[in-house]
Amino acid sequence: QQGDVAIVGIQSTDPDMIVLLALADLPAGGGLYITDNAWTGFELKSNEGVKKLTIPSDGISSGTMFGYDAHSGSLLYLGNSWTFGGGSFALSVSGDNVIVYCLNGDGSTQFLYAAIYQSDWSAENPDASVFSSNESALPSTLPENCAVSLPESKRNVWYHGRFFGSKNEMLNDISNQENWMNDGELSDLFTQLLSSSPSSPPTKAPIEPGSCSGMQNGDIAIIGIKSLDPDMIELLALSDLPGEAAIFITDNAWTGFALKSNEGVKKLNIPPDGIPSGTIFGYDTSTETFLYLGESWVGESGRLALSASGDNIMVYCINGGSINFLYAAIYQNNWSIGTSDPTAFSTSESALPNSLPANTAISLVMTNKNYWYHGSYEGSKAELLVSIADQNNWSADDDSS
């Protein structure tokens, strides 16, 4: 995803070096690309170069510092593991851009992060010839905190901010040019980056406990709801969930602007070894549960009690104080239209967070008390989300115990 990798250092004084920071676990066998070709707003030019890294068999853990180094005896992790991807990759001492990307299954480009130094981003233009080798447009698919522009810098630049916090907090800091230093004569960027940072980063930067730690929409899906006492909510991990991150469930309504506070919130601190993709777990109020982590949730606020006459459930995590919704479900009702007046919502009503894609929410309009997904458990994350979001793949009754 965008921001799973960030650029934290660029050395254009020979030998070239680009230092990257993984802000999510990068999967084994994936292909990662860096290029100094310009993005025109429509395509990447091909007059410069591309380097490719095949991610090692054990993956790259979130927090790992790695990158590309043209020096043959690199101390930078994976510095000499990049292969030819096209053209001639050579950073210009008079300014250049670096774009990090991967390829989707259909061959399309998925931009992850971008940086430009000694210049600012240019306007998009279908005429590729207007871009010099020092210029580039910024890919419009990249959020603001997934790119950094350093127009006043010298030929070597490096991030010197903190190396702790959630993924979103780190991206915000790295994209802030005030957190960067530069030098015109530097010849060992990696050593300089390590020694100049106020937090003295190791090659593995710690993730702040209790944060989202990179979790995205649809990394968790709701696959079961039991409102007949004792309450139960079954969840399915559709990605590896990072250890020590925190997730929340609530039956408070989302108004379109904020969560109400008249119902309840439960919090789960994910175990240190994480929750592997494909694991069924959840929340259970029964005294003897067989559901993994069923009794591990703690009260965060209010009282979570599912209504037998209809309710909603939101699964979310917290990024820098902001809510990041992961999945949502409503039963015996459909989603309401958002309004700034919270009194418009009964305890059985809620708006759907507009940050959630259509396949990361389910509306179960059947008038029952208990619901469970009975579809396939095979396929990709995207395929499973589509299947789970289809009401036809759910069963319901009023007496399941």
Side-chain angles (χ1 to χ4, degrees), residues 272-340:
D273 54 352
I275 299 176
S277 179
T279 302
I280 293 176
F281 67 108
Y283 166 74
D284 190 353
T285 59
S286 63
T287 55
E288 294 184 1
T289 182
F290 293 100
L291 181 61
Y292 178 52
L293 300 175
E295 296 177 331
S296 299
W297 300 72
V298 296
E300 181 73 6
S301 65
R303 179 174 177 267
L304 193 152
L306 298 179
S307 172
S309 56
D311 215 334
N312 69 277
I313 301 163
M314 306 279 179
V315 185
Y316 65 93
C317 57
I318 301 292
N319 257 336
S322 299
I323 293 174
N324 181 30
F325 289 107
L326 303 175
Y327 203 89
I330 194 167
Y331 59 96
Q332 295 190 42
N333 212 337
N334 213 330
W335 300 107
S336 303
I337 297 172
T339 173
S340 57

Side-chain angles (χ1 to χ4, degrees), residues 68-275:
Y68 164 77
D69 191 351
H71 181 261
S72 59
S74 179
L75 298 177
L76 178 62
Y77 179 51
L78 300 175
N80 299 142
S81 299
W82 299 72
T83 58
F84 175 78
S88 175
F89 184 93
L91 298 178
S92 171
V93 295
S94 56
D96 214 335
N97 66 280
V98 180
I99 299 177
V100 186
Y101 65 96
C102 59
L103 297 178
N104 294 314
D106 60 2
S108 61
T109 301
Q110 169 77 34
F111 293 111
L112 304 176
Y113 201 90
I116 194 167
Y117 61 96
Q118 295 189 42
S119 187
D120 208 343
W121 301 108
S122 303
E124 296 181 351
N125 196 314
D127 180 3
S129 66
V130 305
F131 295 89
S132 73
S133 59
N134 310 118
E135 297 173 316
S136 176
L138 175 65
S140 60
T141 56
L142 285 177
E144 286 186 3
N145 66 353
C146 291
V148 63
S149 170
L150 303 164
E152 306 298 325
S153 68
K154 298 178 183 177
R155 61 180 65 178
N156 307 303
V157 293
W158 66 96
Y159 170 72
H160 75 115
R162 62 177 179 170
F163 280 79
F164 61 89
S166 68
K167 175 183 176 181
N168 197 56
E169 290 168 335
M170 289 292 300
L171 285 171
N172 288 339
D173 281 3
I174 296 167
S175 65
N176 183 353
Q177 63 180 257
E178 294 182 0
N179 292 328
W180 285 71
M181 300 184 73
N182 65 93
D183 184 280
E185 305 299 329
L186 190 68
S187 61
D188 187 358
L189 173 70
F190 185 49
T191 300
Q192 183 68 30
L193 192 152
L194 292 178
S195 64
S196 68
S197 171
S199 59
S200 299
T203 55
K204 173 109 174 142
I207 295 295
E208 181 182 15
S211 69
C212 284
S213 299
M215 285 187 286
Q216 305 284 334
N217 313 128
D219 281 356
I220 299 171
I222 296 170
I223 56 168
I225 301 167
K226 179 171 175 286
S227 67
L228 186 69
D229 287 338
D231 289 354
M232 182 186 296
I233 300 168
E234 290 189 342
L235 306 173
L236 174 65
L238 292 174
S239 293
D240 292 336
L241 307 182
E244 299 185 357
I247 57 176
F248 301 81
I249 52 174
T250 185
D251 58 344
N252 283 312
W254 174 251
T255 68
F257 300 86
L259 282 170
K260 293 185 67 174
S261 57
N262 59 315
E263 298 185 81
V265 181
K266 293 287 184 178
K267 176 183 179 181
L268 174 69
N269 289 311
I270 296 175
D273 54 352
I275 299 176

